[in-house]
Amino acid sequence: CMNYMLPISYAWGNFSVLAVGIWAIVQRDSLDAITMFLTGLLLTVLTDIIHISIFYPSHDFLSDVKRFSIGMAIFSLLLKPVSCYLVYRMYRERGGE
């Protein structure tokens, strides 16, 4: 997000899911908050794949800073299925079906 290689929608999507995640952690009895957080995580997996595939720079314009930035975006994308699994377990603990 700090290199401005990916569009602003990438940052808005991930930061809004982060805000919903904080809301889901604070309100431990709310099933709606955890459902919105899980849905947001699943949607950002799809949008992150689209953003990275469309806005990946060519080899000629790939500096070290851009390489690090895209590496962190891919690392974040790889960790999201683990996060989805853990949030799903929280959803089941709170009484979700």
Side-chain angles (χ1 to χ4, degrees), residues 43-78:
L43 284 175
T44 56
V45 168
L46 179 66
T47 59
D48 286 357
I49 291 171
I50 293 170
H51 280 119
I52 292 171
S53 63
I54 289 175
F55 294 101
Y56 193 83
S58 65
H59 183 67
D60 299 336
F61 301 107
L62 197 59
S63 66
D64 290 337
V65 176
K66 287 183 181 181
R67 187 176 295 126
F68 179 76
S69 178
I70 201 71
M72 289 296 107
I74 291 171
F75 184 65
S76 171
L77 178 63
L78 291 175

Side-chain angles (χ1 to χ4, degrees), residues 1-2 6-18 48 51:
C1 288
M2 295 182 68
L6 295 171
I8 195 72
S9 60
Y10 176 81
W12 274 103
N14 284 309
F15 290 141
S16 62
V17 168
L18 179 65
D48 286 357
H51 280 119

